[in-house]
Amino acid sequence: MCVNPPEKPKGYNEIKSSEQHLSADHDSVWGSDNGDSSSQSVTEPFSHSQPDNDSSSRVVTVTSAAEKYEWGSMELSDTRVPLPLDQLPKGIAAFIRAASESLQVPPDLPFLSILGVLSAATRGRFLVQPKAHDPSYLESCAIYAAVFLDPGERKSPTLELVARPLLDAENDLIQDSRLAVRQSEELHIQLNARVKHCRDKSVKDPGNVDLQAEYDEAQAELFGFVPVITPLLVVGDVTPEQLPVIMSDQGGSVALISDEGGTLKNLAGRYNNGNSNLDVVNQGFSGGQVRVHRVGRDPVLIKHAHLAVVLTVQPDVAREIRANSEMKGRGTLDRFLVAQPDSFMGQRAFNGALIPDPARNYWYSGIKSLVAASSELVNAGQHRTLVLTPDSLALYEKWWISTEARLGESGDLAKFKGWVSKCSGSMPRIAGLFALIENPHAAQVEADHMRSALSLWEYLLGQFQFVFGSPVTGSTAKVLAVVKELPDSVFTVREVHR
């Protein structure tokens, strides 16, 4: 939507600062911008006519790149809408409210963390069938979620709170498997020793058919050995090369949960000369096959890959991944549900309310029960498919048709068709997760679950537009909106800071 722009203030294309000021780091002024650095609409050349000290003056110029933005549309740049807590399942909504109040954080932070942890708890063993007439079309329950907040926003404590039952369930699995893992290691040592022993005997008497047969049998037993692996649900800082190996060892599924941006930077090619390695990430979202063949290593084959991603990181990570052309071009960004909520800092209470036991127990017991159910399926080598009830299907179909109509060339969502297409699959995934947190043995997605998932559509769309949409959003939009309202064409960098 555009409005007719008012007359631009005098000096719009060349606004200079006349105030003597302390030099500030470039990122401290524009560091919270959500746009690409290549789309920077404000530049700051420096004047060196003054001595090299604190009194050097700075010129702030609105470049010609800003001409394409409607001067009067700045107030329309914030696309975010409130999280519809009242529409979510009551138990989840109660836990989100309690976590938000206790830690004094925006509810968006625990909410998106919850979706990612729910996804991780399924261990890739649950699928959702969105269309009754097409049993071959199945959505995995993989969720990629990222919340972008500045330092000091209590991202780590919130992630720790939400992920705690998942980590405790992982520890239980590790303890339960400890004896089996140890026995497996011992057996592997014995099999290797037997092969060596049989080989030595065969070499000493090469014409002995019985010794050769014994050697062949020992080798076959060793090659057929399947080790018992220590269960692992969560990884943190991992390279793209390690990721498929870990996933293969864990039955095809693992979760990346981190409050640091290193994970995404690794995927963007931090340790590979800037070359992204996104195959396993993209396949881990879609539930497809992963095949990795490298010289000197055993091949990695995963029939149904499942990856859950939960990141609570600083906004500069959003800028970095948006600037990565491969992550954008190959649709990796379109797989993410994101949020960059307003800060609570400056309004936080010293003593947040304790989380009520019913809210904590609902989340804690729900995740542990879901991990137990998914682990049974892992051990049995099975998957379970949730189907939509007729009422649930009707709700989803109506939403899908109305959304599809907005994706044409003249539609208002055409610019975001990649993300919207991925989100159309995320809606039944979220509905399936809502069903599973209430009943880990559920076989259907009820209408209430689908209704709750679809209520998130406008919220998720608005957040994605804000984080990865127009470069004139976030702090840049706020600054330009303030500049627009200034009575004079001359202003100071200090005023921009304010």
Side-chain angles (χ1 to χ4, degrees), residues 182-202:
R182 181 58 180 164
Q183 290 174 338
S184 173
E185 292 172 348
E186 290 290 343
L187 178 58
H188 190 248
I189 292 172
Q190 293 172 11
L191 292 175
N192 273 297
R194 183 188 174 204
V195 168
K196 183 179 183 303
H197 176 69
C198 292
R199 180 176 61 243
D200 291 344
K201 290 198 303 181
S202 179

mmCIF file with all atom_site columns, all heavy atoms in Angstrom, residues 182-202:
data_model
loop_
_atom_site.group_PDB
_atom_site.id
_atom_site.type_symbol
_atom_site.label_atom_id
_atom_site.label_alt_id
_atom_site.label_comp_id
_atom_site.label_asym_id
_atom_site.label_entity_id
_atom_site.label_seq_id
_atom_site.pdbx_PDB_ins_code
_atom_site.Cartn_x
_atom_site.Cartn_y
_atom_site.Cartn_z
_atom_site.occupancy
_atom_site.B_iso_or_equiv
_atom_site.pdbx_formal_charge
_atom_site.auth_seq_id
_atom_site.auth_comp_id
_atom_site.auth_asym_id
_atom_site.auth_atom_id
_atom_site.pdbx_PDB_model_num
ATOM 1   N N   . ARG A 1 182 ? 27.683 -49.888 25.975 1.00 0.00 ? 182 ARG A N   1
ATOM 2   C CA  . ARG A 1 182 ? 28.921 -50.494 26.448 1.00 0.00 ? 182 ARG A CA  1
ATOM 3   C C   . ARG A 1 182 ? 29.063 -51.925 25.928 1.00 0.00 ? 182 ARG A C   1
ATOM 4   O O   . ARG A 1 182 ? 30.142 -52.347 25.483 1.00 0.00 ? 182 ARG A O   1
ATOM 5   C CB  . ARG A 1 182 ? 28.950 -50.485 27.984 1.00 0.00 ? 182 ARG A CB  1
ATOM 6   C CG  . ARG A 1 182 ? 30.225 -51.067 28.579 1.00 0.00 ? 182 ARG A CG  1
ATOM 7   C CD  . ARG A 1 182 ? 31.451 -50.338 28.089 1.00 0.00 ? 182 ARG A CD  1
ATOM 8   N NE  . ARG A 1 182 ? 32.683 -50.890 28.651 1.00 0.00 ? 182 ARG A NE  1
ATOM 9   C CZ  . ARG A 1 182 ? 33.891 -50.653 28.166 1.00 0.00 ? 182 ARG A CZ  1
ATOM 10  N NH1 . ARG A 1 182 ? 34.016 -49.864 27.107 1.00 0.00 ? 182 ARG A NH1 1
ATOM 11  N NH2 . ARG A 1 182 ? 34.948 -51.180 28.728 1.00 0.00 ? 182 ARG A NH2 1
ATOM 12  N N   . GLN A 1 183 ? 27.985 -52.690 25.973 1.00 0.00 ? 183 GLN A N   1
ATOM 13  C CA  . GLN A 1 183 ? 28.014 -54.061 25.470 1.00 0.00 ? 183 GLN A CA  1
ATOM 14  C C   . GLN A 1 183 ? 28.303 -54.084 23.967 1.00 0.00 ? 183 GLN A C   1
ATOM 15  O O   . GLN A 1 183 ? 29.021 -54.949 23.471 1.00 0.00 ? 183 GLN A O   1
ATOM 16  C CB  . GLN A 1 183 ? 26.685 -54.749 25.770 1.00 0.00 ? 183 GLN A CB  1
ATOM 17  C CG  . GLN A 1 183 ? 26.459 -55.041 27.248 1.00 0.00 ? 183 GLN A CG  1
ATOM 18  C CD  . GLN A 1 183 ? 25.079 -55.587 27.520 1.00 0.00 ? 183 GLN A CD  1
ATOM 19  O OE1 . GLN A 1 183 ? 24.144 -55.386 26.728 1.00 0.00 ? 183 GLN A OE1 1
ATOM 20  N NE2 . GLN A 1 183 ? 24.929 -56.286 28.651 1.00 0.00 ? 183 GLN A NE2 1
ATOM 21  N N   . SER A 1 184 ? 27.745 -53.111 23.262 1.00 0.00 ? 184 SER A N   1
ATOM 22  C CA  . SER A 1 184 ? 27.984 -53.008 21.822 1.00 0.00 ? 184 SER A CA  1
ATOM 23  C C   . SER A 1 184 ? 29.452 -52.728 21.527 1.00 0.00 ? 184 SER A C   1
ATOM 24  O O   . SER A 1 184 ? 30.038 -53.326 20.611 1.00 0.00 ? 184 SER A O   1
ATOM 25  C CB  . SER A 1 184 ? 27.105 -51.912 21.216 1.00 0.00 ? 184 SER A CB  1
ATOM 26  O OG  . SER A 1 184 ? 27.412 -51.682 19.870 1.00 0.00 ? 184 SER A OG  1
ATOM 27  N N   . GLU A 1 185 ? 30.041 -51.848 22.297 1.00 0.00 ? 185 GLU A N   1
ATOM 28  C CA  . GLU A 1 185 ? 31.462 -51.539 22.116 1.00 0.00 ? 185 GLU A CA  1
ATOM 29  C C   . GLU A 1 185 ? 32.329 -52.770 22.379 1.00 0.00 ? 185 GLU A C   1
ATOM 30  O O   . GLU A 1 185 ? 33.295 -53.039 21.645 1.00 0.00 ? 185 GLU A O   1
ATOM 31  C CB  . GLU A 1 185 ? 31.860 -50.390 23.049 1.00 0.00 ? 185 GLU A CB  1
ATOM 32  C CG  . GLU A 1 185 ? 31.215 -49.063 22.684 1.00 0.00 ? 185 GLU A CG  1
ATOM 33  C CD  . GLU A 1 185 ? 31.466 -47.999 23.742 1.00 0.00 ? 185 GLU A CD  1
ATOM 34  O OE1 . GLU A 1 185 ? 31.931 -48.363 24.848 1.00 0.00 ? 185 GLU A OE1 1
ATOM 35  O OE2 . GLU A 1 185 ? 31.188 -46.823 23.472 1.00 0.00 ? 185 GLU A OE2 1
ATOM 36  N N   . GLU A 1 186 ? 31.994 -53.511 23.422 1.00 0.00 ? 186 GLU A N   1
ATOM 37  C CA  . GLU A 1 186 ? 32.754 -54.723 23.749 1.00 0.00 ? 186 GLU A CA  1
ATOM 38  C C   . GLU A 1 186 ? 32.627 -55.765 22.640 1.00 0.00 ? 186 GLU A C   1
ATOM 39  O O   . GLU A 1 186 ? 33.612 -56.417 22.262 1.00 0.00 ? 186 GLU A O   1
ATOM 40  C CB  . GLU A 1 186 ? 32.264 -55.306 25.077 1.00 0.00 ? 186 GLU A CB  1
ATOM 41  C CG  . GLU A 1 186 ? 32.622 -54.477 26.300 1.00 0.00 ? 186 GLU A CG  1
ATOM 42  C CD  . GLU A 1 186 ? 34.115 -54.511 26.604 1.00 0.00 ? 186 GLU A CD  1
ATOM 43  O OE1 . GLU A 1 186 ? 34.817 -55.415 26.071 1.00 0.00 ? 186 GLU A OE1 1
ATOM 44  O OE2 . GLU A 1 186 ? 34.597 -53.632 27.338 1.00 0.00 ? 186 GLU A OE2 1
ATOM 45  N N   . LEU A 1 187 ? 31.421 -55.918 22.125 1.00 0.00 ? 187 LEU A N   1
ATOM 46  C CA  . LEU A 1 187 ? 31.197 -56.882 21.057 1.00 0.00 ? 187 LEU A CA  1
ATOM 47  C C   . LEU A 1 187 ? 31.997 -56.507 19.810 1.00 0.00 ? 187 LEU A C   1
ATOM 48  O O   . LEU A 1 187 ? 32.578 -57.379 19.145 1.00 0.00 ? 187 LEU A O   1
ATOM 49  C CB  . LEU A 1 187 ? 29.709 -56.973 20.734 1.00 0.00 ? 187 LEU A CB  1
ATOM 50  C CG  . LEU A 1 187 ? 29.321 -57.926 19.593 1.00 0.00 ? 187 LEU A CG  1
ATOM 51  C CD1 . LEU A 1 187 ? 29.813 -59.352 19.893 1.00 0.00 ? 187 LEU A CD1 1
ATOM 52  C CD2 . LEU A 1 187 ? 27.807 -57.905 19.368 1.00 0.00 ? 187 LEU A CD2 1
ATOM 53  N N   . HIS A 1 188 ? 32.049 -55.225 19.513 1.00 0.00 ? 188 HIS A N   1
ATOM 54  C CA  . HIS A 1 188 ? 32.802 -54.768 18.348 1.00 0.00 ? 188 HIS A CA  1
ATOM 55  C C   . HIS A 1 188 ? 34.298 -55.082 18.510 1.00 0.00 ? 188 HIS A C   1
ATOM 56  O O   . HIS A 1 188 ? 34.969 -55.510 17.551 1.00 0.00 ? 188 HIS A O   1
ATOM 57  C CB  . HIS A 1 188 ? 32.582 -53.271 18.140 1.00 0.00 ? 188 HIS A CB  1
ATOM 58  C CG  . HIS A 1 188 ? 33.123 -52.755 16.841 1.00 0.00 ? 188 HIS A CG  1
ATOM 59  N ND1 . HIS A 1 188 ? 34.189 -51.891 16.766 1.00 0.00 ? 188 HIS A ND1 1
ATOM 60  C CD2 . HIS A 1 188 ? 32.751 -53.018 15.557 1.00 0.00 ? 188 HIS A CD2 1
ATOM 61  C CE1 . HIS A 1 188 ? 34.451 -51.623 15.498 1.00 0.00 ? 188 HIS A CE1 1
ATOM 62  N NE2 . HIS A 1 188 ? 33.586 -52.290 14.741 1.00 0.00 ? 188 HIS A NE2 1
ATOM 63  N N   . ILE A 1 189 ? 34.800 -54.900 19.712 1.00 0.00 ? 189 ILE A N   1
ATOM 64  C CA  . ILE A 1 189 ? 36.211 -55.220 19.984 1.00 0.00 ? 189 ILE A CA  1
ATOM 65  C C   . ILE A 1 189 ? 36.449 -56.720 19.784 1.00 0.00 ? 189 ILE A C   1
ATOM 66  O O   . ILE A 1 189 ? 37.446 -57.144 19.183 1.00 0.00 ? 189 ILE A O   1
ATOM 67  C CB  . ILE A 1 189 ? 36.592 -54.795 21.417 1.00 0.00 ? 189 ILE A CB  1
ATOM 68  C CG1 . ILE A 1 189 ? 36.575 -53.258 21.536 1.00 0.00 ? 189 ILE A CG1 1
ATOM 69  C CG2 . ILE A 1 189 ? 37.967 -55.335 21.804 1.00 0.00 ? 189 ILE A CG2 1
ATOM 70  C CD1 . ILE A 1 189 ? 36.758 -52.755 22.956 1.00 0.00 ? 189 ILE A CD1 1
ATOM 71  N N   . GLN A 1 190 ? 35.516 -57.531 20.282 1.00 0.00 ? 190 GLN A N   1
ATOM 72  C CA  . GLN A 1 190 ? 35.658 -58.987 20.152 1.00 0.00 ? 190 GLN A CA  1
ATOM 73  C C   . GLN A 1 190 ? 35.609 -59.430 18.687 1.00 0.00 ? 190 GLN A C   1
ATOM 74  O O   . GLN A 1 190 ? 36.376 -60.304 18.270 1.00 0.00 ? 190 GLN A O   1
ATOM 75  C CB  . GLN A 1 190 ? 34.553 -59.677 20.943 1.00 0.00 ? 190 GLN A CB  1
ATOM 76  C CG  . GLN A 1 190 ? 34.656 -59.488 22.448 1.00 0.00 ? 190 GLN A CG  1
ATOM 77  C CD  . GLN A 1 190 ? 33.444 -60.019 23.184 1.00 0.00 ? 190 GLN A CD  1
ATOM 78  O OE1 . GLN A 1 190 ? 32.612 -60.719 22.591 1.00 0.00 ? 190 GLN A OE1 1
ATOM 79  N NE2 . GLN A 1 190 ? 33.320 -59.690 24.467 1.00 0.00 ? 190 GLN A NE2 1
ATOM 80  N N   . LEU A 1 191 ? 34.709 -58.824 17.914 1.00 0.00 ? 191 LEU A N   1
ATOM 81  C CA  . LEU A 1 191 ? 34.601 -59.182 16.499 1.00 0.00 ? 191 LEU A CA  1
ATOM 82  C C   . LEU A 1 191 ? 35.863 -58.813 15.737 1.00 0.00 ? 191 LEU A C   1
ATOM 83  O O   . LEU A 1 191 ? 36.332 -59.582 14.878 1.00 0.00 ? 191 LEU A O   1
ATOM 84  C CB  . LEU A 1 191 ? 33.385 -58.494 15.874 1.00 0.00 ? 191 LEU A CB  1
ATOM 85  C CG  . LEU A 1 191 ? 32.017 -58.974 16.354 1.00 0.00 ? 191 LEU A CG  1
ATOM 86  C CD1 . LEU A 1 191 ? 30.901 -58.134 15.751 1.00 0.00 ? 191 LEU A CD1 1
ATOM 87  C CD2 . LEU A 1 191 ? 31.812 -60.456 15.992 1.00 0.00 ? 191 LEU A CD2 1
ATOM 88  N N   . ASN A 1 192 ? 36.431 -57.660 16.042 1.00 0.00 ? 192 ASN A N   1
ATOM 89  C CA  . ASN A 1 192 ? 37.682 -57.259 15.401 1.00 0.00 ? 192 ASN A CA  1
ATOM 90  C C   . ASN A 1 192 ? 38.811 -58.217 15.771 1.00 0.00 ? 192 ASN A C   1
ATOM 91  O O   . ASN A 1 192 ? 39.630 -58.597 14.915 1.00 0.00 ? 192 ASN A O   1
ATOM 92  C CB  . ASN A 1 192 ? 38.049 -55.831 15.821 1.00 0.00 ? 192 ASN A CB  1
ATOM 93  C CG  . ASN A 1 192 ? 37.417 -54.781 14.924 1.00 0.00 ? 192 ASN A CG  1
ATOM 94  O OD1 . ASN A 1 192 ? 37.699 -54.707 13.731 1.00 0.00 ? 192 ASN A OD1 1
ATOM 95  N ND2 . ASN A 1 192 ? 36.554 -53.970 15.513 1.00 0.00 ? 192 ASN A ND2 1
ATOM 96  N N   . ALA A 1 193 ? 38.839 -58.598 17.039 1.00 0.00 ? 193 ALA A N   1
ATOM 97  C CA  . ALA A 1 193 ? 39.884 -59.524 17.496 1.00 0.00 ? 193 ALA A CA  1
ATOM 98  C C   . ALA A 1 193 ? 39.739 -60.881 16.820 1.00 0.00 ? 193 ALA A C   1
ATOM 99  O O   . ALA A 1 193 ? 40.738 -61.529 16.438 1.00 0.00 ? 193 ALA A O   1
ATOM 100 C CB  . ALA A 1 193 ? 39.820 -59.668 19.009 1.00 0.00 ? 193 ALA A CB  1
ATOM 101 N N   . ARG A 1 194 ? 38.513 -61.332 16.652 1.00 0.00 ? 194 ARG A N   1
ATOM 102 C CA  . ARG A 1 194 ? 38.282 -62.635 16.010 1.00 0.00 ? 194 ARG A CA  1
ATOM 103 C C   . ARG A 1 194 ? 38.731 -62.601 14.545 1.00 0.00 ? 194 ARG A C   1
ATOM 104 O O   . ARG A 1 194 ? 39.343 -63.567 14.052 1.00 0.00 ? 194 ARG A O   1
ATOM 105 C CB  . ARG A 1 194 ? 36.807 -63.006 16.112 1.00 0.00 ? 194 ARG A CB  1
ATOM 106 C CG  . ARG A 1 194 ? 36.516 -64.385 15.523 1.00 0.00 ? 194 ARG A CG  1
ATOM 107 C CD  . ARG A 1 194 ? 35.046 -64.670 15.450 1.00 0.00 ? 194 ARG A CD  1
ATOM 108 N NE  . ARG A 1 194 ? 34.829 -65.943 14.750 1.00 0.00 ? 194 ARG A NE  1
ATOM 109 C CZ  . ARG A 1 194 ? 33.699 -66.253 14.118 1.00 0.00 ? 194 ARG A CZ  1
ATOM 110 N NH1 . ARG A 1 194 ? 32.676 -65.394 14.120 1.00 0.00 ? 194 ARG A NH1 1
ATOM 111 N NH2 . ARG A 1 194 ? 33.575 -67.413 13.509 1.00 0.00 ? 194 ARG A NH2 1
ATOM 112 N N   . VAL A 1 195 ? 38.429 -61.497 13.855 1.00 0.00 ? 195 VAL A N   1
ATOM 113 C CA  . VAL A 1 195 ? 38.850 -61.375 12.457 1.00 0.00 ? 195 VAL A CA  1
ATOM 114 C C   . VAL A 1 195 ? 40.372 -61.434 12.354 1.00 0.00 ? 195 VAL A C   1
ATOM 115 O O   . VAL A 1 195 ? 40.932 -62.132 11.498 1.00 0.00 ? 195 VAL A O   1
ATOM 116 C CB  . VAL A 1 195 ? 38.310 -60.070 11.836 1.00 0.00 ? 195 VAL A CB  1
ATOM 117 C CG1 . VAL A 1 195 ? 38.982 -59.782 10.490 1.00 0.00 ? 195 VAL A CG1 1
ATOM 118 C CG2 . VAL A 1 195 ? 36.798 -60.142 11.655 1.00 0.00 ? 195 VAL A CG2 1
ATOM 119 N N   . LYS A 1 196 ? 41.041 -60.711 13.239 1.00 0.00 ? 196 LYS A N   1
ATOM 120 C CA  . LYS A 1 196 ? 42.507 -60.696 13.219 1.00 0.00 ? 196 LYS A CA  1
ATOM 121 C C   . LYS A 1 196 ? 43.068 -62.095 13.498 1.00 0.00 ? 196 LYS A C   1
ATOM 122 O O   . LYS A 1 196 ? 44.005 -62.562 12.839 1.00 0.00 ? 196 LYS A O   1
ATOM 123 C CB  . LYS A 1 196 ? 43.038 -59.714 14.250 1.00 0.00 ? 196 LYS A CB  1
ATOM 124 C CG  . LYS A 1 196 ? 44.568 -59.575 14.265 1.00 0.00 ? 196 LYS A CG  1
ATOM 125 C CD  . LYS A 1 196 ? 45.012 -58.567 15.305 1.00 0.00 ? 196 LYS A CD  1
ATOM 126 C CE  . LYS A 1 196 ? 46.517 -58.374 15.256 1.00 0.00 ? 196 LYS A CE  1
ATOM 127 N NZ  . LYS A 1 196 ? 47.255 -59.635 15.450 1.00 0.00 ? 196 LYS A NZ  1
ATOM 128 N N   . HIS A 1 197 ? 42.475 -62.770 14.466 1.00 0.00 ? 197 HIS A N   1
ATOM 129 C CA  . HIS A 1 197 ? 42.935 -64.102 14.832 1.00 0.00 ? 197 HIS A CA  1
ATOM 130 C C   . HIS A 1 197 ? 42.753 -65.077 13.662 1.00 0.00 ? 197 HIS A C   1
ATOM 131 O O   . HIS A 1 197 ? 43.672 -65.862 13.329 1.00 0.00 ? 197 HIS A O   1
ATOM 132 C CB  . HIS A 1 197 ? 42.166 -64.598 16.058 1.00 0.00 ? 197 HIS A CB  1
ATOM 133 C CG  . HIS A 1 197 ? 42.488 -66.000 16.463 1.00 0.00 ? 197 HIS A CG  1
ATOM 134 N ND1 . HIS A 1 197 ? 43.710 -66.368 16.998 1.00 0.00 ? 197 HIS A ND1 1
ATOM 135 C CD2 . HIS A 1 197 ? 41.738 -67.146 16.403 1.00 0.00 ? 197 HIS A CD2 1
ATOM 136 C CE1 . HIS A 1 197 ? 43.700 -67.656 17.245 1.00 0.00 ? 197 HIS A CE1 1
ATOM 137 N NE2 . HIS A 1 197 ? 42.517 -68.151 16.896 1.00 0.00 ? 197 HIS A NE2 1
ATOM 138 N N   . CYS A 1 198 ? 41.581 -65.045 13.035 1.00 0.00 ? 198 CYS A N   1
ATOM 139 C CA  . CYS A 1 198 ? 41.304 -65.947 11.914 1.00 0.00 ? 198 CYS A CA  1
ATOM 140 C C   . CYS A 1 198 ? 42.187 -65.628 10.710 1.00 0.00 ? 198 CYS A C   1
ATOM 141 O O   . CYS A 1 198 ? 42.626 -66.549 9.990  1.00 0.00 ? 198 CYS A O   1
ATOM 142 C CB  . CYS A 1 198 ? 39.828 -65.872 11.519 1.00 0.00 ? 198 CYS A CB  1
ATOM 143 S SG  . CYS A 1 198 ? 38.695 -66.529 12.752 1.00 0.00 ? 198 CYS A SG  1
ATOM 144 N N   . ARG A 1 199 ? 42.450 -64.341 10.492 1.00 0.00 ? 199 ARG A N   1
ATOM 145 C CA  . ARG A 1 199 ? 43.312 -63.967 9.379  1.00 0.00 ? 199 ARG A CA  1
ATOM 146 C C   . ARG A 1 199 ? 44.735 -64.488 9.593  1.00 0.00 ? 199 ARG A C   1
ATOM 147 O O   . ARG A 1 199 ? 45.366 -65.012 8.662  1.00 0.00 ? 199 ARG A O   1
ATOM 148 C CB  . ARG A 1 199 ? 43.324 -62.453 9.206  1.00 0.00 ? 199 ARG A CB  1
ATOM 149 C CG  . ARG A 1 199 ? 44.216 -62.004 8.038  1.00 0.00 ? 199 ARG A CG  1
ATOM 150 C CD  . ARG A 1 199 ? 44.162 -60.501 7.797  1.00 0.00 ? 199 ARG A CD  1
ATOM 151 N NE  . ARG A 1 199 ? 44.635 -59.776 8.969  1.00 0.00 ? 199 ARG A NE  1
ATOM 152 C CZ  . ARG A 1 199 ? 43.890 -58.944 9.688  1.00 0.00 ? 199 ARG A CZ  1
ATOM 153 N NH1 . ARG A 1 199 ? 42.612 -58.769 9.379  1.00 0.00 ? 199 ARG A NH1 1
ATOM 154 N NH2 . ARG A 1 199 ? 44.400 -58.320 10.729 1.00 0.00 ? 199 ARG A NH2 1
ATOM 155 N N   . ASP A 1 200 ? 45.216 -64.342 10.818 1.00 0.00 ? 200 ASP A N   1
ATOM 156 C CA  . ASP A 1 200 ? 46.574 -64.812 11.125 1.00 0.00 ? 200 ASP A CA  1
ATOM 157 C C   . ASP A 1 200 ? 46.688 -66.327 10.903 1.00 0.00 ? 200 ASP A C   1
ATOM 158 O O   . ASP A 1 200 ? 47.693 -66.816 10.336 1.00 0.00 ? 200 ASP A O   1
ATOM 159 C CB  . ASP A 1 200 ? 46.943 -64.466 12.567 1.00 0.00 ? 200 ASP A CB  1
ATOM 160 C CG  . ASP A 1 200 ? 47.117 -62.972 12.779 1.00 0.00 ? 200 ASP A CG  1
ATOM 161 O OD1 . ASP A 1 200 ? 47.264 -62.242 11.764 1.00 0.00 ? 200 ASP A OD1 1
ATOM 162 O OD2 . ASP A 1 200 ? 47.089 -62.524 13.943 1.00 0.00 ? 200 ASP A OD2 1
ATOM 163 N N   . LYS A 1 201 ? 45.690 -67.071 11.315 1.00 0.00 ? 201 LYS A N   1
ATOM 164 C CA  . LYS A 1 201 ? 45.731 -68.521 11.130 1.00 0.00 ? 201 LYS A CA  1
ATOM 165 C C   . LYS A 1 201 ? 45.660 -68.876 9.651  1.00 0.00 ? 201 LYS A C   1
ATOM 166 O O   . LYS A 1 201 ? 46.350 -69.807 9.186  1.00 0.00 ? 201 LYS A O   1
ATOM 167 C CB  . LYS A 1 201 ? 44.574 -69.188 11.892 1.00 0.00 ? 201 LYS A CB  1
ATOM 168 C CG  . LYS A 1 201 ? 44.729 -69.149 13.402 1.00 0.00 ? 201 LYS A CG  1
ATOM 169 C CD  . LYS A 1 201 ? 43.824 -70.168 14.074 1.00 0.00 ? 201 LYS A CD  1
ATOM 170 C CE  . LYS A 1 201 ? 42.369 -69.979 13.735 1.00 0.00 ? 201 LYS A CE  1
ATOM 171 N NZ  . LYS A 1 201 ? 41.510 -70.967 14.424 1.00 0.00 ? 201 LYS A NZ  1
ATOM 172 N N   . SER A 1 202 ? 44.821 -68.160 8.916  1.00 0.00 ? 202 SER A N   1
ATOM 173 C CA  . SER A 1 202 ? 44.670 -68.449 7.495  1.00 0.00 ? 202 SER A CA  1
ATOM 174 C C   . SER A 1 202 ? 45.945 -68.157 6.717  1.00 0.00 ? 202 SER A C   1
ATOM 175 O O   . SER A 1 202 ? 46.290 -68.886 5.776  1.00 0.00 ? 202 SER A O   1
ATOM 176 C CB  . SER A 1 202 ? 43.508 -67.632 6.917  1.00 0.00 ? 202 SER A CB  1
ATOM 177 O OG  . SER A 1 202 ? 43.351 -67.864 5.535  1.00 0.00 ? 202 SER A OG  1
#
